[in-house]
Amino acid sequence: DAGVIQSPRHEVTEMGQEVTLRCKPISGHDYLFWYRQTMMRGLELLIYFNNNVPIDDSGMPEDRFSAKMPNASFSTLKIQPSEPRDSAVYFCASSSAGWTQYFGPGTRLLVL
Amino acid sequence: GQQLNQSPQSMFIQEGEDVSMNCTSSSIFNTWLWYKQDPGEGPVLLIALYKAGELTSNGRLTAQFGITRKDSFLNISASIPSDVGIYFCAGQESSNQFYFGTGTSLTVIP
């Protein structure tokens, strides 16, 4: 079975540029989560969706961050404009009925 | 937000030794999960616990859901080099949100 798929795996961009991270959850899972991981703050939940609807976005750092889930098999996390402090590993995870979450391999973002 | 205290922060052990780590929370959880993260990869689920007092094993790994529902423990017996990585606990309250611990970095010396 395919796990959670994320793209790109690595992204290097310049400050001010728009960054779009993509996620394909495990088929049949109705919850999707976006996390950010840094050395200083560990794993932080940014936002999660249930049946494509955003449920809790209180972890989104600021208005520069936005996330969408247009259908059950695709979600995006967008940062516009990006800043160096956004450099981190961004993980997408999915679950069925909100239980055990399965993580993707992550996108390593470096903003110069 | 919810605070999960995970300890120890790091461990350096000899191959063959047993390992213990734990996680405590400031409030009651309904579910405890333990994940392992290898360098450059996402966390991978090791064990899930759904009931206070539950003791569950997965090979050389054993985890327990504390009776108070505010803590959980993970033990690894007879460690091997491939056990190296960062281990995270995660707890879930009544909502669908999980809170993650800060991780325990494990180094196994051959």
Side-chain angles (χ1 to χ4, degrees), chain B residues 31-88:
Chain B
T31 302
W32 281 99
L33 305 175
W34 284 93
Y35 288 86
K36 181 191 177 202
Q37 185 175 21
D38 290 328
E41 300 295 331
V44 174
L45 181 68
L46 299 174
I47 293 179
L49 303 159
Y50 301 109
K51 201 167 145 182
E54 181 180 352
L55 186 71
T56 298
S57 292
N58 178 6
R60 294 177 296 104
L61 276 61
T62 302
Q64 184 162 25
F65 194 140
I67 292 291
T68 65
R69 295 170 65 191
K70 291 185 177 183
D71 57 8
S72 181
F73 307 86
L74 176 70
N75 296 314
I76 305 173
S77 62
S79 59
I80 59 178
S82 62
D83 290 335
V84 164
I86 301 177
Y87 292 79
F88 290 97

Short mmCIF file of all heavy atoms in Angstrom, two decimals, chain B residues 31-88:
data_model
loop_
_atom_site.label_atom_id
_atom_site.label_comp_id
_atom_site.label_asym_id
_atom_site.label_seq_id
_atom_site.Cartn_x
_atom_site.Cartn_y
_atom_site.Cartn_z
N THR B 31 -5.44 8.38 24.33
CA THR B 31 -4.60 7.55 23.47
C THR B 31 -3.15 7.99 23.63
O THR B 31 -2.89 9.18 23.70
CB THR B 31 -5.00 7.70 21.99
OG1 THR B 31 -6.37 7.34 21.84
CG2 THR B 31 -4.15 6.82 21.09
N TRP B 32 -2.27 6.99 23.66
CA TRP B 32 -0.83 7.28 23.62
C TRP B 32 -0.23 6.54 22.44
O TRP B 32 -0.58 5.38 22.18
CB TRP B 32 -0.14 6.80 24.91
CG TRP B 32 -0.30 7.70 26.09
CD1 TRP B 32 -1.20 7.56 27.11
CD2 TRP B 32 0.47 8.86 26.40
NE1 TRP B 32 -1.04 8.57 28.02
CE2 TRP B 32 -0.01 9.39 27.61
CE3 TRP B 32 1.53 9.52 25.76
CZ2 TRP B 32 0.51 10.53 28.21
CZ3 TRP B 32 2.06 10.66 26.35
CH2 TRP B 32 1.55 11.16 27.57
N LEU B 33 0.65 7.22 21.73
CA LEU B 33 1.35 6.60 20.61
C LEU B 33 2.84 6.79 20.79
O LEU B 33 3.30 7.77 21.37
CB LEU B 33 0.93 7.26 19.28
CG LEU B 33 -0.57 7.31 18.95
CD1 LEU B 33 -0.78 8.10 17.67
CD2 LEU B 33 -1.13 5.91 18.82
N TRP B 34 3.60 5.83 20.26
CA TRP B 34 5.06 5.97 20.23
C TRP B 34 5.52 5.84 18.78
O TRP B 34 5.13 4.91 18.07
CB TRP B 34 5.73 4.91 21.10
CG TRP B 34 5.61 5.22 22.55
CD1 TRP B 34 4.65 4.79 23.42
CD2 TRP B 34 6.51 6.04 23.32
NE1 TRP B 34 4.88 5.31 24.67
CE2 TRP B 34 6.00 6.07 24.64
CE3 TRP B 34 7.67 6.76 23.01
CZ2 TRP B 34 6.64 6.80 25.66
CZ3 TRP B 34 8.30 7.47 24.02
CH2 TRP B 34 7.78 7.49 25.33
N TYR B 35 6.34 6.81 18.37
CA TYR B 35 6.88 6.85 17.02
C TYR B 35 8.40 6.81 17.06
O TYR B 35 9.02 7.24 18.03
CB TYR B 35 6.49 8.16 16.31
CG TYR B 35 5.05 8.28 15.90
CD1 TYR B 35 4.09 8.76 16.78
CD2 TYR B 35 4.64 7.95 14.60
CE1 TYR B 35 2.76 8.91 16.39
CE2 TYR B 35 3.32 8.09 14.21
CZ TYR B 35 2.40 8.57 15.11
OH TYR B 35 1.08 8.72 14.72
N LYS B 36 8.99 6.34 15.96
CA LYS B 36 10.43 6.43 15.78
C LYS B 36 10.70 7.18 14.49
O LYS B 36 10.03 6.94 13.46
CB LYS B 36 11.07 5.04 15.71
CG LYS B 36 12.59 5.08 15.55
CD LYS B 36 13.16 3.73 15.21
CE LYS B 36 14.67 3.86 14.99
NZ LYS B 36 15.22 2.78 14.18
N GLN B 37 11.66 8.08 14.54
CA GLN B 37 12.03 8.85 13.36
C GLN B 37 13.50 8.61 13.02
O GLN B 37 14.38 8.88 13.84
CB GLN B 37 11.78 10.34 13.58
CG GLN B 37 12.03 11.19 12.35
CD GLN B 37 11.65 12.64 12.55
OE1 GLN B 37 11.56 13.13 13.68
NE2 GLN B 37 11.41 13.36 11.47
N ASP B 38 13.73 8.08 11.83
CA ASP B 38 15.10 7.91 11.34
C ASP B 38 15.54 9.20 10.66
O ASP B 38 14.69 9.96 10.19
CB ASP B 38 15.17 6.75 10.36
CG ASP B 38 14.99 5.41 11.02
OD1 ASP B 38 15.40 5.27 12.19
OD2 ASP B 38 14.43 4.49 10.39
N PRO B 39 16.83 9.44 10.58
CA PRO B 39 17.31 10.67 9.95
C PRO B 39 16.77 10.83 8.52
O PRO B 39 16.83 9.89 7.73
CB PRO B 39 18.84 10.48 9.94
CG PRO B 39 19.10 9.55 11.08
CD PRO B 39 17.93 8.62 11.12
N GLY B 40 16.23 11.99 8.23
CA GLY B 40 15.74 12.27 6.89
C GLY B 40 14.40 11.65 6.54
O GLY B 40 13.98 11.71 5.39
N GLU B 41 13.74 11.07 7.53
CA GLU B 41 12.46 10.42 7.27
C GLU B 41 11.39 10.97 8.20
O GLU B 41 11.68 11.69 9.16
CB GLU B 41 12.58 8.90 7.49
CG GLU B 41 13.60 8.23 6.59
CD GLU B 41 13.22 8.29 5.13
OE1 GLU B 41 12.01 8.33 4.83
OE2 GLU B 41 14.15 8.33 4.28
N GLY B 42 10.14 10.61 7.91
CA GLY B 42 9.06 10.98 8.80
C GLY B 42 8.93 10.00 9.94
O GLY B 42 9.45 8.88 9.88
N PRO B 43 8.24 10.39 11.02
CA PRO B 43 8.02 9.47 12.14
C PRO B 43 7.22 8.25 11.68
O PRO B 43 6.29 8.36 10.89
CB PRO B 43 7.21 10.31 13.13
CG PRO B 43 7.50 11.74 12.77
CD PRO B 43 7.68 11.73 11.28
N VAL B 44 7.60 7.10 12.20
CA VAL B 44 6.92 5.85 11.89
C VAL B 44 6.31 5.31 13.17
O VAL B 44 6.99 5.24 14.21
CB VAL B 44 7.90 4.82 11.29
CG1 VAL B 44 7.23 3.48 11.11
CG2 VAL B 44 8.43 5.33 9.96
N LEU B 45 5.06 4.93 13.10
CA LEU B 45 4.36 4.44 14.29
C LEU B 45 4.95 3.12 14.76
O LEU B 45 5.14 2.18 13.97
CB LEU B 45 2.87 4.26 13.99
CG LEU B 45 2.02 3.78 15.15
CD1 LEU B 45 1.95 4.86 16.23
CD2 LEU B 45 0.64 3.38 14.68
N LEU B 46 5.22 3.03 16.06
CA LEU B 46 5.72 1.79 16.66
C LEU B 46 4.61 1.06 17.41
O LEU B 46 4.39 -0.12 17.21
CB LEU B 46 6.87 2.11 17.64
CG LEU B 46 8.11 2.77 17.07
CD1 LEU B 46 9.07 3.12 18.20
CD2 LEU B 46 8.79 1.88 16.06
N ILE B 47 3.99 1.77 18.32
CA ILE B 47 2.98 1.17 19.19
C ILE B 47 1.88 2.18 19.48
O ILE B 47 2.17 3.36 19.68
CB ILE B 47 3.61 0.69 20.53
CG1 ILE B 47 4.57 -0.47 20.29
CG2 ILE B 47 2.53 0.28 21.52
CD1 ILE B 47 5.25 -0.98 21.56
N ALA B 48 0.65 1.71 19.53
CA ALA B 48 -0.50 2.55 19.90
C ALA B 48 -1.17 1.94 21.12
O ALA B 48 -1.35 0.73 21.21
CB ALA B 48 -1.48 2.62 18.74
N LEU B 49 -1.54 2.80 22.06
CA LEU B 49 -2.17 2.37 23.32
C LEU B 49 -3.48 3.13 23.49
O LEU B 49 -3.52 4.35 23.35
CB LEU B 49 -1.24 2.69 24.50
CG LEU B 49 0.16 2.08 24.44
CD1 LEU B 49 1.12 2.83 25.35
CD2 LEU B 49 0.11 0.61 24.83
N TYR B 50 -4.55 2.39 23.81
CA TYR B 50 -5.87 3.01 23.83
C TYR B 50 -6.58 2.93 25.17
O TYR B 50 -7.69 3.43 25.31
CB TYR B 50 -6.76 2.36 22.76
CG TYR B 50 -6.20 2.48 21.36
CD1 TYR B 50 -5.69 1.37 20.69
CD2 TYR B 50 -6.17 3.71 20.71
CE1 TYR B 50 -5.18 1.49 19.41
CE2 TYR B 50 -5.66 3.83 19.42
CZ TYR B 50 -5.17 2.71 18.78
OH TYR B 50 -4.65 2.82 17.50
N LYS B 51 -5.93 2.27 26.15
CA LYS B 51 -6.64 2.03 27.40
C LYS B 51 -5.68 2.14 28.57
O LYS B 51 -4.56 1.62 28.52
CB LYS B 51 -7.19 0.60 27.35
CG LYS B 51 -8.32 0.29 28.26
CD LYS B 51 -8.90 -1.05 27.82
CE LYS B 51 -9.37 -1.82 29.03
NZ LYS B 51 -9.90 -3.13 28.66
N ALA B 52 -6.11 2.81 29.65
CA ALA B 52 -5.27 2.96 30.83
C ALA B 52 -4.84 1.60 31.34
O ALA B 52 -5.66 0.67 31.45
CB ALA B 52 -6.03 3.71 31.92
N GLY B 53 -3.54 1.47 31.64
CA GLY B 53 -3.00 0.22 32.13
C GLY B 53 -2.57 -0.74 31.04
O GLY B 53 -1.90 -1.74 31.30
N GLU B 54 -2.92 -0.44 29.81
CA GLU B 54 -2.61 -1.35 28.70
C GLU B 54 -1.11 -1.50 28.52
O GLU B 54 -0.36 -0.53 28.59
CB GLU B 54 -3.24 -0.80 27.41
CG GLU B 54 -3.02 -1.63 26.18
CD GLU B 54 -3.69 -1.02 24.94
OE1 GLU B 54 -4.43 -0.04 25.10
OE2 GLU B 54 -3.43 -1.51 23.84
N LEU B 55 -0.69 -2.74 28.30
CA LEU B 55 0.71 -3.06 28.05
C LEU B 55 0.76 -3.75 26.70
O LEU B 55 0.12 -4.79 26.51
CB LEU B 55 1.25 -3.98 29.16
CG LEU B 55 2.74 -4.30 29.13
CD1 LEU B 55 3.56 -3.08 29.53
CD2 LEU B 55 3.04 -5.46 30.09
N THR B 56 1.50 -3.19 25.76
CA THR B 56 1.52 -3.73 24.40
C THR B 56 2.95 -3.90 23.94
O THR B 56 3.79 -3.04 24.18
CB THR B 56 0.77 -2.78 23.45
OG1 THR B 56 -0.59 -2.69 23.85
CG2 THR B 56 0.82 -3.29 22.02
N SER B 57 3.21 -5.01 23.26
CA SER B 57 4.55 -5.28 22.74
C SER B 57 4.55 -5.34 21.23
O SER B 57 3.55 -5.71 20.59
CB SER B 57 5.05 -6.62 23.29
OG SER B 57 5.27 -6.52 24.67
N ASN B 58 5.69 -4.97 20.67
CA ASN B 58 5.92 -5.06 19.23
C ASN B 58 7.37 -5.50 19.08
O ASN B 58 8.29 -4.70 19.05
CB ASN B 58 5.67 -3.70 18.58
CG ASN B 58 5.96 -3.74 17.08
OD1 ASN B 58 6.24 -4.79 16.51
ND2 ASN B 58 5.89 -2.59 16.44
N GLY B 59 7.57 -6.82 19.03
CA GLY B 59 8.94 -7.33 18.98
C GLY B 59 9.67 -7.05 20.28
O GLY B 59 9.20 -7.38 21.37
N ARG B 60 10.80 -6.36 20.15
CA ARG B 60 11.59 -6.04 21.35
C ARG B 60 11.08 -4.79 22.06
O ARG B 60 11.64 -4.38 23.07
CB ARG B 60 13.06 -5.86 20.96
CG ARG B 60 13.74 -7.13 20.45
CD ARG B 60 15.19 -6.87 20.00
NE ARG B 60 15.23 -5.97 18.86
CZ ARG B 60 15.59 -4.69 18.93
NH1 ARG B 60 15.92 -4.15 20.09
NH2 ARG B 60 15.61 -3.95 17.85
N LEU B 61 10.05 -4.18 21.53
CA LEU B 61 9.51 -2.96 22.11
C LEU B 61 8.28 -3.28 22.95
O LEU B 61 7.43 -4.08 22.55
CB LEU B 61 9.09 -1.98 21.01
CG LEU B 61 10.16 -1.08 20.39
CD1 LEU B 61 11.26 -1.88 19.73
CD2 LEU B 61 9.53 -0.13 19.40
N THR B 62 8.20 -2.64 24.11
CA THR B 62 7.03 -2.75 24.97
C THR B 62 6.66 -1.37 25.44
O THR B 62 7.53 -0.61 25.87
CB THR B 62 7.32 -3.65 26.19
OG1 THR B 62 7.74 -4.94 25.74
CG2 THR B 62 6.08 -3.79 27.06
N ALA B 63 5.39 -1.04 25.38
CA ALA B 63 4.93 0.26 25.84
C ALA B 63 3.75 0.08 26.77
O ALA B 63 2.98 -0.89 26.66
CB ALA B 63 4.53 1.14 24.66
N GLN B 64 3.61 1.01 27.70
CA GLN B 64 2.51 0.95 28.64
C GLN B 64 1.80 2.28 28.74
O GLN B 64 2.43 3.34 28.72
CB GLN B 64 3.00 0.53 30.03
CG GLN B 64 1.87 0.37 31.04
CD GLN B 64 2.24 -0.43 32.26
OE1 GLN B 64 3.41 -0.51 32.63
NE2 GLN B 64 1.26 -1.03 32.89
N PHE B 65 0.50 2.22 28.85
CA PHE B 65 -0.37 3.37 29.07
C PHE B 65 -0.53 3.49 30.58
O PHE B 65 -1.08 2.61 31.22
CB PHE B 65 -1.73 3.07 28.41
CG PHE B 65 -2.65 4.23 28.25
CD1 PHE B 65 -3.39 4.36 27.09
CD2 PHE B 65 -2.83 5.18 29.25
CE1 PHE B 65 -4.28 5.41 26.92
CE2 PHE B 65 -3.70 6.23 29.08
CZ PHE B 65 -4.44 6.35 27.92
N GLY B 66 -0.04 4.58 31.17
CA GLY B 66 -0.07 4.72 32.61
C GLY B 66 -1.47 4.71 33.19
O GLY B 66 -2.43 5.18 32.55
N ILE B 67 -1.59 4.22 34.40
CA ILE B 67 -2.88 4.11 35.08
C ILE B 67 -3.53 5.48 35.27
O ILE B 67 -4.75 5.62 35.16
CB ILE B 67 -2.70 3.44 36.47
CG1 ILE B 67 -2.31 1.98 36.28
CG2 ILE B 67 -3.98 3.53 37.28
CD1 ILE B 67 -3.41 1.13 35.71
N THR B 68 -2.72 6.48 35.52
CA THR B 68 -3.26 7.83 35.72
C THR B 68 -3.71 8.47 34.41
O THR B 68 -4.35 9.53 34.41
CB THR B 68 -2.21 8.76 36.36
OG1 THR B 68 -1.12 8.92 35.43
CG2 THR B 68 -1.70 8.19 37.66
N ARG B 69 -3.36 7.86 33.27
CA ARG B 69 -3.64 8.35 31.92
C ARG B 69 -2.86 9.62 31.60
O ARG B 69 -3.13 10.29 30.59
CB ARG B 69 -5.14 8.58 31.72
CG ARG B 69 -5.93 7.28 31.80
CD ARG B 69 -7.41 7.51 31.86
NE ARG B 69 -7.91 8.12 30.64
CZ ARG B 69 -9.14 8.63 30.51
NH1 ARG B 69 -9.96 8.61 31.54
NH2 ARG B 69 -9.53 9.16 29.38
N LYS B 70 -1.89 9.93 32.47
CA LYS B 70 -1.07 11.12 32.22
C LYS B 70 0.36 10.75 31.85
O LYS B 70 1.21 11.64 31.73
CB LYS B 70 -1.04 12.01 33.47
CG LYS B 70 -2.37 12.67 33.78
CD LYS B 70 -2.21 13.62 34.96
CE LYS B 70 -3.50 14.36 35.25
NZ LYS B 70 -3.34 15.34 36.35
N ASP B 71 0.63 9.46 31.69
CA ASP B 71 1.99 9.09 31.32
C ASP B 71 2.01 7.79 30.53
O ASP B 71 1.04 7.03 30.50
CB ASP B 71 2.90 9.01 32.54
CG ASP B 71 2.38 8.04 33.59
OD1 ASP B 71 1.40 7.31 33.32
OD2 ASP B 71 2.95 8.01 34.69
N SER B 72 3.16 7.59 29.88
CA SER B 72 3.36 6.38 29.11
C SER B 72 4.85 6.07 29.10
O SER B 72 5.69 6.97 29.25
CB SER B 72 2.85 6.55 27.68
OG SER B 72 3.03 5.35 26.94
N PHE B 73 5.16 4.78 28.93
CA PHE B 73 6.54 4.32 28.96
C PHE B 73 6.83 3.47 27.74
O PHE B 73 5.96 2.75 27.26
CB PHE B 73 6.79 3.48 30.22
CG PHE B 73 6.38 4.18 31.49
CD1 PHE B 73 5.08 4.10 31.96
CD2 PHE B 73 7.31 4.91 32.21
CE1 PHE B 73 4.70 4.75 33.12
CE2 PHE B 73 6.94 5.56 33.36
CZ PHE B 73 5.63 5.49 33.83
N LEU B 74 8.06 3.56 27.27
CA LEU B 74 8.51 2.70 26.18
C LEU B 74 9.81 2.04 26.60
O LEU B 74 10.73 2.70 27.06
CB LEU B 74 8.74 3.51 24.90
CG LEU B 74 9.31 2.71 23.72
CD1 LEU B 74 8.26 1.73 23.18
CD2 LEU B 74 9.78 3.64 22.60
N ASN B 75 9.85 0.73 26.45
CA ASN B 75 11.07 -0.02 26.74
C ASN B 75 11.51 -0.76 25.48
O ASN B 75 10.69 -1.30 24.74
CB ASN B 75 10.82 -1.05 27.86
CG ASN B 75 10.49 -0.37 29.17
OD1 ASN B 75 11.14 0.57 29.58
ND2 ASN B 75 9.46 -0.86 29.83
N ILE B 76 12.82 -0.78 25.27
CA ILE B 76 13.42 -1.53 24.17
C ILE B 76 14.39 -2.51 24.81
O ILE B 76 15.29 -2.12 25.56
CB ILE B 76 14.18 -0.62 23.19
CG1 ILE B 76 13.27 0.51 22.68
CG2 ILE B 76 14.73 -1.43 22.03
CD1 ILE B 76 14.00 1.55 21.85
N SER B 77 14.21 -3.77 24.53
CA SER B 77 15.10 -4.76 25.11
C SER B 77 16.18 -5.16 24.11
O SER B 77 15.96 -5.14 22.90
CB SER B 77 14.32 -6.01 25.54
OG SER B 77 13.71 -6.60 24.41
N ALA B 78 17.35 -5.50 24.65
CA ALA B 78 18.47 -5.99 23.84
C ALA B 78 18.69 -5.10 22.61
O ALA B 78 18.53 -5.56 21.46
CB ALA B 78 18.24 -7.44 23.44
N SER B 79 19.03 -3.86 22.83
CA SER B 79 19.15 -2.89 21.74
C SER B 79 20.16 -3.35 20.68
O SER B 79 21.15 -4.05 20.97
CB SER B 79 19.57 -1.53 22.29
OG SER B 79 20.80 -1.64 22.98
N ILE B 80 19.88 -2.95 19.45
CA ILE B 80 20.75 -3.23 18.31
C ILE B 80 21.04 -1.91 17.59
O ILE B 80 20.31 -0.93 17.78
CB ILE B 80 20.10 -4.26 17.36
CG1 ILE B 80 18.76 -3.73 16.83
CG2 ILE B 80 19.93 -5.60 18.05
CD1 ILE B 80 18.08 -4.68 15.85
N PRO B 81 22.06 -1.87 16.76
CA PRO B 81 22.43 -0.61 16.10
C PRO B 81 21.28 0.06 15.33
O PRO B 81 21.19 1.28 15.30
CB PRO B 81 23.58 -1.02 15.19
CG PRO B 81 24.24 -2.14 15.91
CD PRO B 81 23.10 -2.91 16.55
N SER B 82 20.41 -0.71 14.74
CA SER B 82 19.33 -0.11 13.94
C SER B 82 18.24 0.52 14.81
O SER B 82 17.31 1.15 14.28
CB SER B 82 18.71 -1.15 13.02
OG SER B 82 18.13 -2.19 13.77
N ASP B 83 18.36 0.41 16.12
CA ASP B 83 17.42 1.10 17.01
C ASP B 83 17.74 2.59 17.10
O ASP B 83 16.95 3.37 17.66
CB ASP B 83 17.48 0.50 18.42
CG ASP B 83 16.89 -0.90 18.49
OD1 ASP B 83 16.04 -1.23 17.64
OD2 ASP B 83 17.29 -1.66 19.39
N VAL B 84 18.87 2.99 16.56
CA VAL B 84 19.26 4.40 16.59
C VAL B 84 18.19 5.26 15.93
O VAL B 84 17.67 4.91 14.87
CB VAL B 84 20.61 4.59 15.87
CG1 VAL B 84 20.85 6.05 15.54
CG2 VAL B 84 21.74 4.03 16.70
N GLY B 85 17.89 6.38 16.55
CA GLY B 85 16.91 7.31 15.99
C GLY B 85 16.33 8.18 17.08
O GLY B 85 16.82 8.19 18.21
N ILE B 86 15.30 8.90 16.73
CA ILE B 86 14.61 9.73 17.72
C ILE B 86 13.23 9.13 17.96
O ILE B 86 12.48 8.86 17.02
CB ILE B 86 14.48 11.19 17.24
CG1 ILE B 86 15.86 11.78 16.97
CG2 ILE B 86 13.73 12.02 18.28
CD1 ILE B 86 15.82 13.20 16.43
N TYR B 87 12.91 8.94 19.22
CA TYR B 87 11.65 8.35 19.60
C TYR B 87 10.73 9.44 20.15
O TYR B 87 11.13 10.22 21.02
CB TYR B 87 11.87 7.25 20.65
CG TYR B 87 12.59 6.05 20.09
CD1 TYR B 87 13.97 6.07 19.90
CD2 TYR B 87 11.89 4.91 19.71
CE1 TYR B 87 14.64 4.99 19.35
CE2 TYR B 87 12.55 3.82 19.16
CZ TYR B 87 13.92 3.87 18.99
OH TYR B 87 14.56 2.80 18.43
N PHE B 88 9.53 9.49 19.63
CA PHE B 88 8.55 10.49 20.06
C PHE B 88 7.34 9.81 20.68
O PHE B 88 6.84 8.82 20.16
CB PHE B 88 8.04 11.32 18.87
CG PHE B 88 9.05 12.24 18.27
CD1 PHE B 88 9.77 11.87 17.15
CD2 PHE B 88 9.28 13.49 18.83
CE1 PHE B 88 10.70 12.73 16.59
CE2 PHE B 88 10.20 14.35 18.27
CZ PHE B 88 10.92 13.97 17.15
#
